[in-house]
Amino acid sequence: MRFVWASGSHTGRRRPKNEDSIHPEHDGRTSGSLLVAVADGLGGHRGGEVASRLAIKAAAETAGTPEERARAANDAILREVLEQPRLVGMGTTLTLAELRPGGEVTLAHVGDSRAYWWHAGRFRQVTIDHTFVQAEVDAGRLTTEQARHHPERSVLTKALGFGHGLVVDGVRLKVSVGDRLLLCSDGLTSMVRDDRIAEILESGAPSDVVWALIEAANRSGGLDNVSVIVVAIAEDEASGD
């Protein structure tokens, strides 16, 4: 199998700057391993764009498992804060996936950026938000719909840059030809419902899908930066697998 991916990031319609970072920043295809990641610098915190950029750089340059990459990204942010105290309080989400040629996918996740998986006609979220409202949903005190509109829906319970000893969520998947993987910041999911995201995800080539999703978020208000990576799992051109 081979991986065909596209990525994009947009400031949105309301924010003065883009605090999201993505990897890779270009479209492409490969029959080898692929690393993709989305980081959303915390809005309202000093240096959010610095934190997301550092996280992506450290994760991409670190050898190891996705969880080890995420912890290295956390350490890079903490080191930067020690060197530049004016950046105290900066942080970022990180959702990262490593795809291997045999179809094994390993994800590392911290925060409220998300990963979704389209498989066998089913679209599902494979990461769990580290937010106050998700904890309330898990405890049965809020419904999913109430959480979507809750005034504290963006309050994170976990993020990179908030201390040592970071616990990273790990997810493992086995993908097959025809599947699609979506990584995105909450600038998409806060603006566009999952059923609409699913419709767009299966509608065309990864590059078209990425910008259709970003456009959908902006049409719905574009209240935040929005970043999207789509990976399509296709047959290997050389082997026909």
Side-chain angles (χ1 to χ4, degrees):
M1 63 179 58
R2 63 190 167 99
F3 306 122
V4 181
W5 78 88
S7 63
S9 186
H10 193 274
T11 304
R13 300 178 61 186
R14 301 291 183 89
R15 295 292 177 90
K17 59 184 177 180
N18 193 344
E19 295 184 331
D20 290 359
S21 297
I22 56 175
H23 175 84
E25 294 183 336
H26 57 83
D27 301 351
R29 62 185 62 208
T30 183
S31 296
S33 295
L34 173 65
L35 182 73
V36 293
V38 170
D40 179 358
L42 301 188
H45 287 273
R46 188 173 297 167
E49 73 280 10
V50 176
S52 69
R53 186 175 68 249
L54 283 172
I56 289 292
K57 184 175 187 295
E61 293 178 352
T62 297
T65 67
E67 291 92 341
E68 290 168 338
R69 291 175 186 269
R71 286 191 287 270
N74 186 59
D75 291 343
I77 294 169
L78 295 176
R79 285 195 302 270
E80 189 72 11
V81 169
L82 286 176
E83 295 175 4
Q84 299 193 61
R86 66 181 181 82
L87 297 175
V88 168
M90 74 174 179
T92 186
T93 70
L94 180 65
T95 301
L96 178 151
E98 183 177 13
L99 299 89
R100 295 190 176 275
E104 297 82 11
V105 179
T106 307
L107 295 104
H109 168 71
V110 180
D112 65 350
S113 296
R114 291 180 179 176
Y116 291 89
W117 183 26
W118 177 268
H119 172 70
R122 183 185 175 202
F123 178 74
R124 67 184 179 96
Q125 182 180 338
V126 296
T127 53
I128 298 174
D129 295 348
H130 297 135
T131 59
F132 166 76
V133 294
Q134 184 62 54
E136 293 294 286
V137 169
D138 293 343
R141 290 187 287 267
L142 287 176
T143 66
T144 301
E145 188 62 21
Q146 287 171 332
R148 183 174 179 82
H149 301 286
H150 197 281
E152 296 182 6
R153 60 188 176 276
S154 297
V155 175
L156 295 178
T157 56
K158 188 187 298 185
L160 274 66
F162 283 8
H164 295 283
L166 177 71
V167 177
V168 180
D169 285 1
V171 181
R172 283 166 174 75
L173 309 172
K174 179 70 172 180
V175 298
S176 54
V177 172
D179 288 6
R180 291 194 167 191
L181 190 68
L182 165 68
L183 272 62
C184 60
S185 62
D186 72 332
L188 174 65
T189 55
S190 62
M191 294 286 100
V192 185
R193 291 182 176 273
D194 281 8
D195 56 353
R196 179 58 180 150
I197 293 174
E199 289 177 4
I200 297 172
L201 182 64
E202 61 171 330
S203 66
S207 57
D208 295 332
V209 169
V210 164
W211 292 104
L213 288 169
I214 290 172
E215 183 181 356
N218 284 332
R219 279 202 312 267
S220 297
L223 300 181
D224 198 356
N225 311 145
V226 54
S227 295
V228 177
I229 300 175
V230 172
V231 182
I233 291 80
E235 289 187 353
D236 190 288
E237 293 174 323
S239 67
D241 292 342

